[in-house]
Every structure is written in C-alpha cells, then in structure tokens.
Amino acid sequence: MSEKTDSRVTLCPDGKYRWVYEVPMLKNPSILYDVYKVLGISFGVVWLLNVLLIGCEDGFSLKNLWGSTYVLLVVALVLAVIALIAYVIVAWCYGWKYVVLFTMDEKEIVHQQMPRQVKKAQILGALTSFAGVAAGKPSVVGTGYLAASRSTTTSELANVARLIPCRRYHLIKINCLLKKNRIYVPDEDFDFVYDFLCQHCTNAKFSQ
C-alpha cells in the first residue's frame, strides 16, 4: 500500500483508499470473459425453455433435441463473433484501455469508470489535488471529476457473498446476491486489498 498519490493504492486524508487502474483490454480478457459468460447463461436458459416447449408439444426425442440445439448453436456462434467484434470496437473507442477509479473503506468499495477522453495523468492530477485539500473539506473536493465519471458500481462490504481473487488478471471479483463488482488492483497491492476485503466482508466466502 502506497502513501503517495500515484497508480498504487493510496490512503487519502479522508480515511479512504483510492487508486486508478488501466485495464489493457486486448491483453487482459477478463471483461470479454464476463460478456461471454452472460451470453452463455442467456442461451442456456433459452435452450432449456425451448427443449421443454418442444418436449411438451412433440415429445422428447434425440432428433427433436438435436434440431433445437443445432439452431441455437448456430445463433450463439454468430452472436459470439458479433460480441467479439463489438468488444474490439469498444476497446478502440476507449483507447484500448478501460480506466477505472476505485475508492475503498471499511463499509464499501466503489468501481467508478472514467470517461474515455480523460487521460490517466489528468485523473492522477485530480487525485493529487484531492489528497492535498481533503484534510480541510473532504466532502467538497473532487466532486468535479467524480461527476464526470460514466458509471459507478458500489458494493457494500457487509452484503458481499463471495470474494474470488484472479491474480493473473489483477482482478478481485466481488459477488453480492443481485450485483457483481470487478476490482482491478496493481500487483504490488493485490494482497493488501484482498486481505482488507476479507477482513471487512464478514459474510463472504473466500476463494484462494
């Protein structure tokens, strides 16, 4: 854990830990894996409902089952290719990097996507300003760049059901009952952040 404001995990004067992480979208496929996982679950549900419907109408048989499965497999393959192309296009629009600001304390962790036009240097500059002034008015400083963020996912640590570390992708998966969060951490601070989450996610199951 770093005490300086850089891309490392930083303890700010307001008692919250913050860091910026740039996910190289072509080298780190974790986001693409999540896309395919959602598609897979969706097609699994559609396949099951289709099989049940056909079984009720025409009876269960290997021929009917294969006919229904074959069509869905073709559609799934086409959509998988489209999803890959769309992912590459989005990565290109983002400058090949998914830039995220993380904020963590004893109660919650926030995943805050930064606008693609904001360069890392600008975000770090805002963090430096925040760290310098937060001791005086921590509730006011930084609202400008925080408001510019595109999307935010907040996980209350007391509601976390499972923590899954994926060190290979610099990723910690935080799963709640109805919401999932993805936390990217530099190698140097991975153990610190994971241990911090393990200590404060009192209802979570841990994976090694």
Side-chain angles (χ1 to χ4, degrees):
M1 188 268 295
S2 174
E3 295 182 355
K4 297 181 179 180
T5 304
D6 52 23
S7 58
R8 297 278 306 270
V9 175
T10 302
L11 178 59
C12 295
D14 63 346
K16 298 178 183 291
Y17 293 96
R18 290 181 174 85
W19 67 97
V20 174
Y21 195 92
E22 292 183 347
V23 183
M25 296 182 68
L26 295 186
K27 294 182 180 180
N28 188 333
S30 56
I31 299 175
L32 182 61
Y33 287 164
D34 280 342
V35 172
Y36 279 136
K37 183 177 180 180
V38 171
L39 287 176
I41 293 174
S42 300
F43 268 93
V45 172
V46 172
W47 175 81
L48 181 60
L49 292 176
N50 197 40
V51 168
L52 293 176
L53 182 61
I54 292 177
C56 292
E57 292 182 351
D58 303 324
F60 291 98
S61 68
L62 185 60
K63 181 179 180 181
N64 291 339
L65 179 62
W66 171 245
S68 174
T69 303
Y70 176 77
V71 173
L72 284 178
L73 284 176
V74 173
V75 174
L77 180 60
V78 172
L79 287 182
V81 174
I82 294 175
L84 178 60
I85 295 173
Y87 177 83
V88 173
I89 293 175
V90 170
W92 174 73
C93 292
Y94 281 0
W96 309 111
K97 293 179 180 180
Y98 177 74
V99 184
V100 198
L101 169 66
F102 295 101
T103 302
M104 179 179 71
D105 60 18
E106 292 81 1
K107 295 182 178 180
E108 64 183 19
I109 187 165
V110 180
H111 171 135
Q112 198 155 30
Q113 181 184 354
M114 307 307 293
R116 68 179 180 86
Q117 67 270 19
V118 179
K119 297 181 180 180
K120 183 178 181 181
Q122 295 173 309
I123 303 172
L124 293 178
L127 284 177
T128 303
S129 175
F130 179 90
V133 186
K137 295 183 178 180
S139 63
V140 177
V141 182
T143 56
Y145 77 87
L146 291 179
S149 61
R150 277 187 171 180
S151 63
T152 300
T153 302
T154 302
S155 297
E156 295 182 0
L157 302 189
N159 297 330
V160 174
R162 189 174 183 186
L163 290 173
I164 306 173
C166 303
R167 191 180 297 270
R168 178 181 178 183
Y169 299 122
H170 315 287
L171 171 65
I172 300 174
K173 297 181 180 181
I174 297 182
N175 295 342
C176 299
L177 182 61
L178 299 176
K179 182 170 57 176
K180 295 184 178 181
N181 205 342
R182 297 295 181 259
I183 309 302
Y184 292 92
V185 189
D187 280 337
E188 301 87 349
D189 298 311
F190 192 92
D191 290 330
F192 169 77
V193 173
Y194 183 63
D195 290 341
F196 183 95
L197 292 173
C198 288
Q199 292 174 14
H200 294 88
C201 296
T202 54
N203 298 315
K205 294 182 179 179
F206 311 122
S207 300
Q208 298 298 329

